[in-house]
Amino acid sequence: MTTEKATFAAGCFWGVEHLYVKHFKQYDIKTKVGYIGGDTKDPSYRAVCSGSTNHAEALEIDFDPKKVSYETLVEFFYRMHDPTTVNAQGPDRGTQYRSAIFYHSPEQKATAEKVTAEVQEKHYKGKKIVTEIIPAGIFYDAETYHQKYLDKNPGGYECPTHFLRW
């Protein structure tokens, strides 16, 4: 089996991971949360939350493109958060909560740009999508307690901004 990586930032990584796992479990995706796009080597959660590292809280997905397409994953990314808010999702504020697609190949970049244009036209005519589409750099795994956090803590913080919009 040949797998690919997809990396998305869409606010609190707990909610992003929870929704992807819930909606794509039949495709045997593997997920982990972490930090990407910043200036500090091996940042901690505390440092990322301070805003001093410029990292985004992100989800990295290993997926089999024969089972689920990258395009489908990108379309879902736009359904599960508000891509028109700069550095914010609901009550979460700061660069670590920005909307970003970190692509791993020229094909992923082209797909992300195509889907973004389609979503802009169809769902956000009155508001501009501010999602960054940028090359994936080093992904640093978040601390163990963050992985599958909402599965391990049912009834805990529910990331209220992560729901399907259409």
Side-chain angles (χ1 to χ4, degrees):
M1 172 174 83
T2 303
T3 62
E4 291 184 24
K5 289 193 183 308
T7 307
F8 303 111
C12 170
F13 53 19
W14 296 342
V16 176
E17 181 179 45
H18 188 72
L19 279 178
Y20 269 98
V21 169
K22 178 180 175 182
H23 290 277
F24 291 97
K25 63 183 167 192
Q26 73 271 28
Y27 300 111
D28 300 318
I29 65 169
K30 306 292 183 243
T31 62
K32 61 182 176 177
V33 296
Y35 317 111
I36 191 168
D39 309 316
T40 303
K41 184 179 177 184
D42 200 22
S44 68
Y45 180 68
R46 181 177 293 259
V48 171
C49 285
S50 76
S52 66
T53 71
N54 202 36
H55 285 88
E57 287 191 13
L59 174 68
E60 186 176 85
I61 303 169
D62 286 325
F63 69 99
D64 180 346
K66 292 178 181 163
K67 293 182 179 181
V68 61
S69 71
Y70 181 72
E71 183 169 350
T72 297
L73 296 173
V74 174
E75 288 168 349
F76 187 79
F77 164 82
Y78 281 113
R79 289 185 64 206
M80 50 82 57
H81 81 295
D82 182 352
T84 67
T85 56
V86 177
N87 297 333
Q89 286 300 310
D92 297 323
R93 302 277 188 252
T95 58
Q96 70 270 29
Y97 300 116
R98 66 188 178 269
S99 176
I101 298 171
F102 297 90
Y103 61 85
H104 295 268
S105 69
E107 294 80 18
Q108 284 190 354
K109 179 183 182 189
T111 298
E113 290 172 341
K114 174 181 140 320
V115 171
T116 301
E118 291 169 354
V119 170
Q120 178 71 64
E121 177 63 26
K122 189 172 183 181
H123 298 286
Y124 292 103
K125 285 188 181 194
K127 295 173 100 176
K128 174 127 176 70
I129 289 176
V130 296
T131 302
E132 299 174 343
I133 300 173
I134 53 180
I138 299 171
F139 183 91
Y140 297 99
D141 292 0
E143 296 80 355
T144 304
Y145 71 93
H146 289 295
Q147 307 301 329
K148 310 281 188 293
Y149 182 86
L150 292 177
D151 290 339
K152 294 185 279 191
N153 297 281
Y157 179 70
E158 289 293 329
C159 297
T161 59
H162 294 113
F163 58 90
L164 300 184
R165 286 173 158 52
W166 65 81

